[in-house]
Amino acid sequence: MTKPRDTIDRRRLLKLLGVGGVAGLAGCAGTGEAPGTETQSSGGSGGSTQSSGGESTASSGGESTESGPQMASEIKVWGWDVAAKSLDLIDEPYEEANGGQVSITQIGRADMKDKFKSTLLSGSGAPAAAMMESVDAASWVDTGGLRDVSAWLGEAGIKDKFVAGKWGPLEKDGGTFALPWDIGPVGTFYRRDVMDEHGVDVSSVETWDQYIEEGQKLPDDQYLLNLPSNDYDGLWRMMYRQIGGQPFTENGAVNINSDKSLQVARILKRIRDSGVANDLASWSSSWFTAFGEGTTASLTAGAWMEGTLKAELGDTSGQWGVFKPPAIESGGSRATNWGGSNVTIPQQVSDAKARRAWDYMAFTLGQAEHQITMYEEFGIFPALRPAYENDAFDASNEFLGGQSAGRLFADIAPNISPYRFTVDTPEVTKAINTHFRDMMTGSKTAKEAVDAAAQQVADRTGRDLA
């Protein structure tokens, strides 16, 4: 047993405090086996319903799920929006199967992040478990305020069942600090009615250059897609990951001026210069209006975007479709990710609560049937690969014109490359947006933009250039 780390490094906390705003640009859950297989071995069911009462200070990471203090009789779990509602779908089945009481607290996204940070700062008040976006993961893990669940994960035998690309930001120094939930396999959502009216054939598109060429068929007041100046980094990251790019090397050097990054920058510049893209701020009212009216005909985003479009533009149901994102070059990968979340356990909670939290997490996220329940109800796309075998992914999607979009995303998900998020990811976001704006106006070439962005990150973080 080890003593919980109550003291959090001040520099790490300052880094942490800078994460929230940037994370707002990423999408997320806003992620078979038969019941009682892996999760039972994770310490779940047998004799686990008794209240612990005790507040042991033992750590969890190196212990068996079959030993240690009894699980707490009740725990609280924090989440936001539809993600919290999704977790709430599974708490009753969990209680019926394993006992205990799980209370899901829904908090606004920004408020939940602030509140969770405060509990880590004070060392008290944290829930037994909380959701955590992948884009934030490296920063949260770096605080030392999260539990290492690697031993429980190994004992449950479920690690290999999640898509490989999820694990990178959840791990540090041999430890694992969260269980994956959802992912955002990327697709290009498009207005079928607009494309058909102007003879744009998305089925013939393999590469971005081909998509730009198809977009030339549109009239002057009709845009193929949007290229928002407040979110160049999102598009850049999506494409960079698609071709195996990493923003930092394994030894931590800044790598956003690599040949692959330059290749992506040049494509974004070609999109701008071709005239097929407008530049509305993403998530603005005018941005939604353009998609609703069809004056912007497509957008490339994570699978979660379908739920957003459905919620915001419900009267366009049936007029949308989706296809795999164009490749950077012919024959290249068409698999990448945008967004996704996980569930984590704070270090400060007692072992009894931590054991109950893990038991609930493994039950909820580690079993296909529960992931399918959340997918069908709220569109939370699972990172658990066995879930993709379910017929739910072959179902006709009315909003997307009857397309079996779930199967398209399920085919993409296992091929998504890992991506190296770090505590300095927010600096990459700032640098890319700043210098790509100059590139778009013509005051910098693509090469100058990626070089300047890389130098800015190196200067602000003290890292070397690759």
Side-chain angles (χ1 to χ4, degrees):
M1 293 198 266
T2 59
K3 186 177 181 180
R5 287 172 288 179
D6 294 323
T7 302
I8 298 172
D9 180 84
R10 175 62 59 183
R11 179 179 177 276
R12 289 174 174 173
L13 287 171
L14 291 174
K15 289 277 189 182
L16 176 63
L17 288 170
V19 170
V22 176
L25 299 175
C28 71
T31 86
E33 309 81 350
T37 53
E38 286 82 0
T39 50
Q40 284 185 350
S41 68
S42 69
S45 48
S48 62
T49 59
Q50 301 174 33
S51 171
S52 68
E55 294 293 314
S56 169
T57 57
S59 173
S60 62
E63 293 190 348
S64 167
T65 55
E66 302 294 347
S67 63
Q70 295 172 330
M71 287 190 281
S73 60
E74 58 182 308
I75 60 168
K76 293 181 179 178
V77 181
W78 290 358
W80 59 75
D81 302 330
V82 296
K85 293 178 181 176
S86 299
L87 292 175
D88 212 19
L89 292 173
I90 312 301
D91 58 359
E92 286 188 7
Y94 171 78
E95 291 165 1
E96 290 174 1
N98 290 358
Q101 181 177 351
V102 179
S103 301
I104 309 299
T105 302
Q106 181 180 343
I107 307 173
R109 184 169 176 272
D111 288 344
M112 200 215 92
K113 290 190 176 189
D114 290 343
K115 191 172 182 178
F116 193 63
K117 291 174 197 172
S118 296
T119 65
L120 293 180
L121 282 164
S122 65
S124 65
M131 62 180 295
M132 174 182 72
E133 281 187 285
S134 293
V135 71
D136 295 337
S139 296
W140 290 111
V141 170
D142 197 57
T143 67
L146 301 179
R147 287 221 173 201
D148 177 5
V149 298
S150 56
W152 288 344
L153 180 64
E155 196 171 77
I158 57 177
K159 183 171 184 177
D160 291 343
K161 298 184 185 301
F162 291 90
V163 296
K166 283 290 290 186
W167 291 107
L170 310 184
E171 298 175 332
K172 182 180 180 181
D173 299 334
T176 304
F177 297 88
L179 190 62
W181 183 0
D182 75 304
I183 58 173
V186 168
T188 298
F189 296 87
Y190 67 97
R191 286 288 299 260
R192 292 179 184 272
D193 51 342
V194 175
M195 299 300 195
D196 289 346
E197 179 183 356
H198 298 289
V200 176
D201 181 12
V202 299
S203 68
S204 68
V205 171
E206 181 196 359
T207 67
W208 276 104
D209 285 338
Q210 290 172 350
Y211 198 39
I212 294 170
E213 186 176 343
E214 283 292 309
Q216 301 292 341
K217 297 177 180 177
L218 299 173
D220 290 343
D221 59 348
Q222 172 64 64
Y223 293 102
L224 177 69
L225 50 85
N226 188 55
L227 203 56
S229 61
N230 65 324
D231 207 6
Y232 291 140
D233 74 287
L235 292 167
W236 169 83
R237 183 171 60 242
M238 175 195 72
M239 293 182 182
Y240 195 36
R241 183 172 184 167
Q242 188 174 342
I243 53 177
Q246 292 287 353
F248 301 96
T249 63
E250 288 186 8
N251 63 6
V254 180
N255 191 42
I256 61 176
N257 58 341
S258 67
D259 289 344
K260 289 180 179 178
S261 178
L262 178 58
Q263 194 175 8
V264 171
R266 286 172 171 161
I267 288 176
L268 292 174
K269 178 62 170 166
R270 281 204 295 277
I271 292 173
R272 166 65 65 214
D273 292 346
S274 71
V276 302
N278 58 7
D279 58 358
L280 301 171
S282 56
W283 302 100
S284 63
S285 58
S286 57
W287 187 74
F288 279 112
T289 297
F291 291 124
E293 294 177 345
T295 51
T296 302
S298 71
L299 76 162
T300 300
W304 41 265
M305 181 57 77
E306 180 214 329
T308 299
L309 294 174
K310 191 184 298 182
E312 299 292 335
L313 307 172
D315 59 351
T316 62
S317 179
Q319 297 175 340
W320 290 86
V322 64
F323 65 101
K324 289 183 179 179
I328 303 300
E329 56 190 5
S330 182
S333 170
R334 300 182 70 174
T336 187
N337 186 76
W338 195 328
S341 294
N342 318 277
V343 178
T344 193
I345 303 173
Q347 179 74 301
Q348 65 184 252
V349 302
S350 71
D351 277 2
K353 289 184 178 179
R355 290 190 67 215
R356 177 66 73 186
W358 171 259
D359 202 46
Y360 168 72
M361 289 160 55
F363 182 89
T364 303
L365 309 182
Q367 297 192 47
E369 68 170 290
H370 302 137
Q371 290 273 16
I372 292 299
T373 297
M374 294 187 284
Y375 169 72
E376 291 186 316
E377 187 68 25
F378 291 111
I380 307 298
F381 198 90
L384 187 72
R385 291 185 294 108
Y388 306 153
E389 299 170 9
N390 193 282
D391 292 343
F393 292 95
D394 297 308
S396 172
N397 187 313
E398 182 179 351
F399 185 81
L400 297 174
Q403 187 175 353
S404 299
R407 182 55 56 201
L408 180 143
F409 289 121
D411 289 342
I412 291 173
N415 298 311
I416 296 172
S417 297
Y419 191 77
R420 195 168 290 121
F421 291 104
T422 76
V423 294
D424 292 323
T425 294
E427 292 295 343
V428 173
T429 297
K430 296 174 189 173
I432 290 293
N433 281 328
T434 297
H435 297 286
F436 277 30
R437 289 189 196 106
D438 293 340
M439 178 182 73
M440 295 302 181
T441 62
S443 61
K444 281 189 178 75
T445 66
K447 181 71 166 63
E448 290 169 341
V450 296
D451 284 346
Q455 189 62 56
Q456 178 175 313
V457 175
D459 291 344
R460 294 189 180 185
T461 64
R463 295 174 183 264
D464 294 330
L465 290 174

